[in-house]
Amino acid sequence: MADDKALTTRAADFSAWYNEVIMRAQLADYSPVRGCMVIRPNGYAIWEQMQRALDQMFKDTGHENAYFPLFIPQSFLSKEAEHVEGFAPECAVVTRGGGKELEEPLVVRPTSETIIYSMYAKWIQSYRDLPLLINQWANVVRWEMRTRLFLRTTEFLWQEGHTAHATEAEAEEETLKILRLYRTFMEEWMAMPVLTGRKTDSERFAGALRTYSCEALMQDNKALQAGTSHNLGQNFAKAFDVTYQTAAGGVDHVWNTSWGVSTRLVGALVMTHGDDRGIVTPPRLAQYQVVIVPIYKSDAERATVLEAAAHVHQELKLAGIRVHLDARDGLKPGAKYYEWEGRGVPLRLEIGPRDVAGGTVMLARRTGGKKESLPTHGLGRLLQDEMDRMQRDMLAAATARREAASIRGATKERFLAHLAADAGFVYAGFCGDAKCEADIKEQTKATIRVLPDAEFRSPEAPATCVWCGRPSVAEAVWAKAY
Ligand SMILES: [Zn+2]
């Protein structure tokens, strides 16, 4: 089996490493349909943990779930000019159904603004119906020519929030609230630091007024757009005639927002924390936070060790820990360690005859360091603390790595050299001219990831555009991206 071979290292070939790690951990597989992937149980379990956490966060902020159709009448997409231009090239279109040509072709949703706002036009009458705060968990299809497991696939799973508000200020507040929510999730659950900020017009969502984004830096120093939140203004409300009676008695169009994160986050998790032995899952998102491996030689040992292991298993379950007892016979402990390491389980407990006699277990951390003997008494509490610490350490390590790969106040030469070397984020002055942005992209393949929020900006604002030397209107963060 290919499983016995060492993985390609990250340093040797990051892209090959990424694919091998996913295959070995059985997160996903290639499908018979080009560009589509199968998410296997191990990968889906991580997505489920992500969904659970995000879903609760959406509900805690007043959002409700609903479900809209997979098919969108083609004419809907054309109603918002920028939107159709942005999405038409990657749409899958159904022209036949039930053995007949359809009167109107149906687009397989690439995103659901149009069909959702067509319904909002029916549901919203008065200011009393606002705000309307709905989220949908769904799959979407965008025809992709070059695909990567989790990062870019023709069909992917995501959530899309769609809200309607009475004023621009309320829509903006919602857009930024969700941006912060995403950031909290990415930092506190994924242990993945992100920069937040606004996108330039050329990177804006097709049909939006303003797009905000969470940007992460992967271990190969390429940026990954991890989540976006859009203030759609009244563009879609005008296209779909979503109006409401104002408190003052007039009629106005609503203001919309939309926002989403996808299964791409599973890929982000792999590329943020994985090492040359496999994936490393942050405890809060791990399917199994702890795996117990019993160690024995004789049948007599086997009986006592398994009994003790079952006891520990039960205790930890009661302590609210997601724990798995690997009692498989005919597989050496070393082979089990190897398998669970590859799958990124945060903590491993080894229990042998000596541990049973001493009332202890041996703890091994997926993030490395010396093994440690722990008393079984009060083990649940100890492991919870251990996981909290690991969760924090993983975020700190990823943040330190990102900062070490970020440069500020660079000259044009340094700017070009950093981007050419795939060395990470570059903070630089920007004149605001789309031509400078396009020229830089053409020469370096790098894009402006965000015009960063205040807390990420350099202490001293850059005075001039790194490209043309004219006065800078905003600091921009550049990088090559997935
Ligand atoms: Zn410029």
Side-chain angles (χ1 to χ4, degrees):
M1 253 175 84
D3 262 1
D4 296 333
K5 280 197 303 190
L7 290 166
T8 300
T9 63
R10 289 162 294 169
D13 185 343
F14 192 80
S15 167
W17 166 84
Y18 176 75
N19 291 331
E20 289 174 25
V21 158
I22 286 176
M23 297 302 276
R24 177 170 294 177
Q26 300 187 348
L27 301 186
D29 205 346
Y30 298 99
S31 85
V33 181
R34 200 175 144 265
C36 293
M37 71 168 177
V38 177
I39 304 176
R40 301 185 68 177
N42 294 350
Y44 204 80
I46 296 176
W47 176 239
E48 280 181 321
Q49 294 295 340
M50 289 180 169
Q51 273 190 309
R52 216 164 282 164
L54 283 165
D55 198 63
Q56 192 59 54
M57 291 169 89
F58 297 150
K59 284 170 180 160
D60 288 346
T61 45
H63 303 86
E64 295 179 300
N65 287 331
Y67 187 79
F68 296 83
L70 170 69
F71 299 121
I72 300 177
Q74 197 168 43
S75 59
F76 280 31
L77 228 59
S78 319
K79 285 192 181 185
E80 212 289 330
E82 255 192 39
H83 193 66
V84 68
E85 196 184 317
F87 282 101
E90 45 189 56
C91 280
V93 183
V94 179
T95 56
R96 290 183 66 82
K100 282 191 290 221
E101 288 294 311
L102 300 179
E103 270 177 38
E104 179 177 2
L106 298 172
V107 172
V108 181
R109 66 181 160 220
T111 178
S112 303
E113 276 77 7
T114 57
I115 193 140
I116 290 181
Y117 301 140
S118 77
M119 298 309 296
Y120 282 13
K122 283 172 69 175
W123 298 341
I124 297 169
Q125 309 295 336
S126 120
Y127 67 92
R128 282 181 296 265
D129 301 324
L130 298 172
L132 184 56
L133 309 172
I134 288 180
N135 175 62
Q136 157 167 275
W137 290 98
N139 58 341
V140 286
V141 167
R142 297 176 186 178
W143 217 257
E144 295 284 357
M145 292 305 151
R146 295 170 59 198
T147 57
R148 300 282 309 274
L149 292 169
F150 288 111
L151 302 180
R152 195 173 293 279
T153 48
T154 293
E155 179 191 11
F156 58 89
L157 305 183
W158 78 343
Q159 59 71 216
E160 48 181 321
H162 291 276
T163 68
H165 306 265
T167 65
E168 176 172 16
E170 283 171 37
E172 185 72 4
E173 192 190 322
E174 166 80 4
T175 311
L176 296 177
K177 179 194 286 180
I178 296 297
L179 187 73
R180 281 193 300 273
L181 183 156
Y182 283 159
R183 179 185 169 188
T184 301
F185 170 75
M186 289 164 194
E187 291 181 348
E188 294 183 5
W189 291 78
M190 297 179 66
M192 180 176 81
V194 288
L195 302 179
T196 57
R198 193 160 64 80
K199 289 281 188 187
T200 59
D201 281 351
S202 61
E203 303 283 330
R204 193 165 41 80
F205 176 77
L209 198 59
R210 284 184 286 278
T211 287
Y212 298 88
S213 172
C214 294
E215 296 283 328
L217 196 67
M218 302 295 99
Q219 287 186 67
D220 61 349
N221 290 340
K222 279 204 193 130
L224 185 120
Q225 180 176 296
T228 48
S229 185
H230 317 288
N231 184 335
L232 302 175
Q234 292 177 308
N235 294 342
F236 287 91
K238 284 177 180 161
F240 288 90
D241 205 22
V242 190
T243 58
Y244 74 101
Q245 188 140 43
T246 64
V251 172
D252 199 0
H253 287 99
V254 301
W255 296 78
N256 292 113
T257 82
S258 70
W259 27 274
V261 296
S262 71
T263 35
R264 166 175 255 219
L265 291 181
V266 178
L269 199 75
V270 172
M271 291 197 296
T272 297
H273 301 299
D275 64 18
D276 291 342
R277 290 180 296 150
I279 69 166
V280 182
T281 320
R284 292 187 84 180
L285 291 176
Q287 175 186 17
Y288 299 127
Q289 299 172 309
V290 177
V291 64
I292 304 170
V293 178
I295 303 166
Y296 48 82
K297 293 210 173 74
S298 66
D299 281 351
E301 277 180 4
R302 180 175 182 274
T304 33
V305 166
L306 278 183
E307 192 194 331
H311 188 70
V312 170
H313 180 238
Q314 195 54 33
E315 288 281 299
L316 295 185
K317 256 182 147 171
L318 288 173
I321 294 173
R322 295 192 291 277
V323 55
H324 176 72
L325 170 58
D326 187 351
R328 283 176 294 178
D329 250 334
L331 199 61
K332 290 210 170 83
K336 293 181 180 177
Y337 300 169
Y338 180 80
E339 182 178 327
W340 294 113
E341 272 174 10
R343 282 182 57 179
V345 174
L347 302 176
R348 179 177 79 229
L349 298 179
E350 304 164 8
I351 305 182
R354 250 180 305 173
D355 301 299
V356 176
T360 60
V361 295
M362 192 61 86
L363 167 72
R365 300 169 184 83
R366 178 61 182 85
T367 45
K370 268 213 177 107
K371 288 188 192 178
E372 196 180 336
S373 180
L374 298 176
T376 47
H377 182 75
L379 187 61
R381 187 69 256 157
L382 285 176
L383 295 185
Q384 289 286 10
D385 290 347
E386 189 64 43
M387 289 193 288
D388 289 347
R389 201 153 42 234
M390 184 180 280
Q391 188 81 32
R392 281 197 302 275
D393 289 350
M394 287 177 76
L395 175 63
T399 307
R401 181 175 50 71
R402 179 191 72 187
E403 289 308 298
S406 302
I407 61 167
R408 295 168 188 266
T411 59
K412 191 171 183 175
E413 289 66 37
R414 182 102 200 282
F415 174 87
L416 287 169
H418 198 71
L419 293 175
D422 280 342
F425 284 137
V426 191
Y427 291 69
F430 175 48
C431 61
D433 189 339
K435 173 133 191 347
C436 270
E437 196 181 356
D439 287 352
I440 294 173
K441 185 176 178 183
E442 198 186 308
Q443 282 207 31
T444 67
K445 299 200 167 59
T447 46
I448 294 180
R449 304 317 305 157
V450 279
L451 305 174
D453 287 337
E455 68 180 287
F456 297 107
R457 284 176 215 150
S458 304
E460 204 171 318
T464 56
C465 175
V466 71
W467 199 250
C468 67
R470 284 177 289 173
S472 167
V473 297
E475 187 171 33
V477 180
W478 294 83
K480 283 189 222 168
Y482 277 97

